[in-house]
Amino acid sequence: MPQFAAGQGQTEVGDVQGATGFQGGQSYADLRGLGAERTLVLLDGQRMVPTSPAGTVDLNTIPMALIKNVDVITGGASAVYGSDAIAGVVNFRLRRHFSGIQLSYQHGASTHGYGKEDSFSVLMGGNFAHRKGNAVVDIEYNERGSVTGQQLSFFNSPQFARTVPFPPEGRFALGGVPVSAVNAVLAQYSGTTPLSGTGRRSSRVPGLAISPNCQQIVAELGPYFAAQVPSRRYNLFAHVTYKLNHDMQAYGQINFMHSTAQDLQGGAFFNGNPKPLLVPLNNPFVQNNPALQTLLAAQTTPNSGPLVVEQWATQFGPRIEQFDYNDYQFTAGLKGSIGSTSL
């Protein structure tokens, strides 16, 4: 629907450049692109328990097998429902008085076979007490596999390149090396461009590009993040109604979801402070590197201590965040009318 903002949220993308926070693997309704926390989600007209500190509701808690229709209000909803409905209201209406058994299974995957997803649900319901009461139970299971950026060719293209502070190859933090000494070293390597007096000239190393200000590295992040976050989810929904008399009905409802998700991010950064990576000056790889020795000797502020290496430590593997959720809501009450007033 055009009212809902299209985008790659934290449901699909676990990116080192994004702030996943408490929301890994969850799904939200975002009307008008104003943020999920400004869209009110209702279940049969009743508010749902928030599933994140931001006050948002994970749509995975809604029993999919019972959905009858969805009502969307995109204007003027805050006058009725309050400030948490500034963007609008999404109301999921469920089927009631279901009788029978319904089994459902769904399988999907990409054309290349990765990112598999399996969903299974069992819906049971029936009447009791001479049709005065009705009980419905829905059990659902969903498992979704991961898709890494490395598996998708377009995530390994320059269009998806981003700047990062340090390259995977690493760099040394030296104390004021003159440009002339740097250019003397660069002259030993083909394909390099001497630095100007301000150092604002770009040069290249395999797979990377140094930004004009020499402060950042352009890198393709495809191998280092998940384009689809893997998750596993269990849902239990139960609803019972009992007609007390012609005007009054009692009801009770349980909605429970347990889910896990795993966010894949790029390697950590060793940025000197507060996470230094130190290499002693007597290290054989330092002593037997003529180019490095030239730069060390040319320092205007010599350092007698160990070398500080600044590096994007991709060789140590990705950073992994595990998310575990237990969301539940219990509701009970009476519904009917007193005189001409409906409850």
Side-chain angles (χ1 to χ4, degrees):
M1 299 180 66
Q3 300 96 328
F4 289 93
Q8 51 181 32
Q10 290 146 342
T11 303
E12 292 108 18
V13 176
D15 190 348
V16 69
Q17 298 296 322
T20 303
F22 298 93
Q23 305 170 3
Q26 296 193 4
S27 299
Y28 302 111
D30 184 4
L31 286 168
R32 302 177 181 269
L34 297 178
E37 66 275 11
R38 296 176 179 87
T39 298
L40 179 62
V41 178
L42 303 177
L43 186 63
D44 282 330
Q46 295 183 338
R47 293 174 181 261
M48 301 186 66
V49 174
T51 58
S52 76
T56 54
V57 175
D58 184 4
L59 299 183
N60 292 318
T61 60
I62 297 172
M64 301 299 294
L66 278 170
I67 293 179
K68 180 181 179 181
N69 54 46
V70 182
D71 301 326
V72 179
I73 303 175
T74 60
S78 60
V80 178
Y81 293 98
S83 60
D84 50 352
I86 290 177
V89 177
V90 181
N91 181 33
F92 291 85
R93 294 183 179 271
L94 303 183
R95 293 186 288 172
R96 297 300 186 187
H97 303 289
F98 176 81
S99 182
I101 299 178
Q102 176 181 302
L103 303 178
S104 175
Y105 174 74
Q106 181 176 335
H107 172 79
S110 70
T111 54
H112 296 283
Y114 44 73
K116 296 180 180 180
E117 183 169 0
D118 293 281
S119 299
F120 179 75
S121 67
V122 179
L123 176 60
M124 299 173 290
N127 300 316
F128 61 91
H130 304 289
R131 303 182 66 88
K132 289 184 177 180
N134 178 268
V136 176
V137 177
D138 177 47
I139 301 174
E140 298 182 5
Y141 172 80
N142 176 273
E143 183 172 0
R144 182 180 63 194
S146 66
V147 178
T148 64
Q150 192 170 16
Q151 293 174 299
L152 305 175
S153 59
F154 54 84
F155 275 125
N156 292 293
S157 63
Q159 288 84 352
F160 287 90
R162 291 183 180 173
T163 55
V164 294
F166 313 112
E169 289 83 352
R171 69 182 185 185
F172 295 107
L174 301 180
V177 179
V179 173
S180 58
V182 176
N183 287 336
V185 173
L186 291 176
Q188 304 174 27
Y189 301 91
S190 60
T192 60
T193 302
L195 298 176
S196 65
T198 60
R200 299 182 63 83
R201 293 293 300 275
S202 63
S203 60
R204 287 189 173 274
V205 294
L208 303 169
I210 302 175
S211 62
N213 61 6
C214 297
Q215 298 296 316
Q216 294 176 312
I217 304 295
V218 179
E220 297 167 3
L221 300 181
Y224 308 118
F225 73 94
Q228 177 173 283
V229 176
S231 66
R232 179 177 296 175
R233 186 178 74 249
Y234 303 88
N235 291 75
L236 171 63
F237 179 87
H239 183 85
V240 178
T241 59
Y242 186 80
K243 194 171 183 179
L244 299 175
N245 53 47
H246 183 71
D247 298 319
M248 193 71 64
Q249 183 185 75
Y251 68 90
Q253 182 172 290
I254 298 174
N255 191 7
F256 172 79
M257 181 193 73
H258 169 74
S259 66
T260 60
Q262 190 178 83
D263 185 32
L264 179 67
Q265 301 182 0
F269 290 98
F270 291 104
N271 56 5
N273 184 22
K275 298 177 292 186
L277 181 61
L278 306 178
V279 179
L281 292 175
N282 60 358
N283 186 291
F285 292 98
V286 175
Q287 294 182 337
N288 297 327
N289 189 325
L292 180 56
Q293 290 296 324
T294 300
L295 298 177
L296 290 173
Q299 293 181 102
T300 57
T301 307
N303 182 13
S304 59
L307 287 174
V308 177
V309 179
E310 299 173 330
Q311 183 180 24
W312 186 17
T314 57
Q315 68 270 31
F316 293 118
R319 288 175 288 174
I320 298 176
E321 291 181 278
Q322 183 75 26
F323 298 90
D324 293 279
Y325 304 99
N326 287 293
D327 302 306
Y328 49 89
Q329 181 173 358
F330 304 96
T331 308
L334 298 174
K335 185 180 297 185
S337 59
I338 300 177
S340 59
T341 302
S342 297
L343 298 178

